Amino acid sequence: MKTIVVTGGTSGIGQALANTYLGRGDQVVVIAPDPVKGKKYLDTAQKLGAADRAFFIEADLSLVSENRRVIAEIEERFEVVDVLVLCARFFRSHRMVTSEGIEHNFALYYLSRYLLGYGLADLMNKAETPVVMNIAGPGVGAPGVHWNDLGFERGYDGWSAMFQGGRLNDLLGVSFAEGGSARRARYVLLFPGGTRTGFAGEFDAATAAHIDQMKRAAQPVEFTVPPILEIIDAPPREPLSAFVEGTPLSLLRPAFDKAAAARLDGITRELLREKASAS
């Protein structure tokens, strides 16, 4: 029996993966902010006869403090983590700053994935074949990063913030994989293709209309999950890999530049030190 941790596991791809792993006989820890959806997940586990293998942690992962609390709880309750699936994301047409002073998209889509990946690395080192599955958008869109304005204080646009989040996760994967023997988990960046999910967010009218069009053209989540499971079950041998709709992506692209990854890692560590000092 494996231990699977899924962020954003109460809807869409995360929910489908969580339920599939429960059906396989694994124990699954779902992290999400909505207690009502969390109860539905636990009720589903009950119906599957998996109540003793289903765990729900209510948390707002846009907050650094909440990520640290979640990591501490998982470390206390579990001896090993075999798979970490990172799905949590929330689109915002209008810029929002968290109570910790961090732009919301940067905090949830990038910083949370950074904290959880590194924070659970020791537990994953104990697994036989540990995998971090970061469901983002590798290689999609321009590789540029707004280095002087990571939080889009000037000229915020929801799509630009989301695409930059994908770029930041590309660089996160590069930095994580540079850990060598200190981090045994294979890091996989994956864009599964357009999927008919809830696409959580707060949208202006134009964006809402565009999202509706995207959903009509997207594939059902049932088609998206099997290829993801295949990669997790038999991950590539390389420390880092990237896939777009099942096709391997070359890591020689500018999106995976090691110097840029080191620069982002340094900025992130400094930000976290400042937040730790402030708290």
Side-chain angles (χ1 to χ4, degrees), residues 232-256:
I232 295 175
D233 289 343
R237 295 177 60 88
E238 295 77 17
L240 174 66
S241 55
F243 295 84
V244 173
E245 298 185 58
T247 301
L249 197 63
S250 170
L251 299 183
L252 298 177
R253 292 167 174 253
F256 307 104

Side-chain angles (χ1 to χ4, degrees), residues 192-203:
T195 304
R196 205 171 300 149
T197 66
F199 203 102
E202 294 180 358
F203 313 109

Side-chain angles (χ1 to χ4, degrees), residues 1-6 18 20-29 41 52-55 78-84 124 126-131 229-235:
M1 180 175 65
K2 292 184 176 181
T3 300
I4 317 296
V5 176
V6 185
T20 299
Y21 277 113
L22 285 178
R24 286 183 167 193
D26 296 314
Q27 58 182 3
V28 182
V29 184
Y41 160 68
D52 60 329
R53 295 184 283 104
F55 306 87
F78 303 96
E79 295 183 357
V80 62
V81 170
D82 296 271
V83 179
L84 172 61
M124 300 191 78
K126 300 176 183 178
E128 183 176 346
T129 310
V131 178
L229 292 172
E230 288 180 12
I231 295 173
I232 295 175
D233 289 343

Side-chain angles (χ1 to χ4, degrees), residues 26-51:
D26 296 314
Q27 58 182 3
V28 182
V29 184
V30 161
I31 308 164
D34 188 339
V36 175
K37 290 183 178 181
K39 184 178 184 303
K40 288 182 180 179
Y41 160 68
L42 296 176
D43 289 344
T44 297
Q46 179 77 39
K47 293 175 183 177
L48 292 173

Side-chain angles (χ1 to χ4, degrees), residues 101-115:
I102 304 172
E103 190 272 317
H104 187 271
N105 187 78
F106 179 89
L108 178 62
Y109 191 12
Y110 165 68
L111 195 56
S112 170
R113 299 183 187 212
Y114 181 102
L115 288 163

Side-chain angles (χ1 to χ4, degrees), residues 94-146:
H94 305 286
R95 187 175 187 270
M96 176 185 154
V97 176
T98 71
S99 60
E100 295 176 335
I102 304 172
E103 190 272 317
H104 187 271
N105 187 78
F106 179 89
L108 178 62
Y109 191 12
Y110 165 68
L111 195 56
S112 170
R113 299 183 187 212
Y114 181 102
L115 288 163
L116 291 171
Y118 282 101
L120 297 176
D122 287 345
L123 288 184
M124 300 191 78
N125 282 343
K126 300 176 183 178
E128 183 176 346
T129 310
V131 178
V132 177
M133 171 60 72
N134 187 335
I135 297 178
V140 177
V145 172
H146 292 250

Side-chain angles (χ1 to χ4, degrees), residues 31-32 36 43 72 87 90 102 121 139 144 151 161 171 176 181 217-218 233 241 248 268 271 275-276:
I31 308 164
V36 175
D43 289 344
C87 291
F90 192 91
I102 304 172
L171 299 177
F176 190 95
S181 60
D233 289 343
S241 55
T268 304
L271 172 64
K275 295 302 175 185

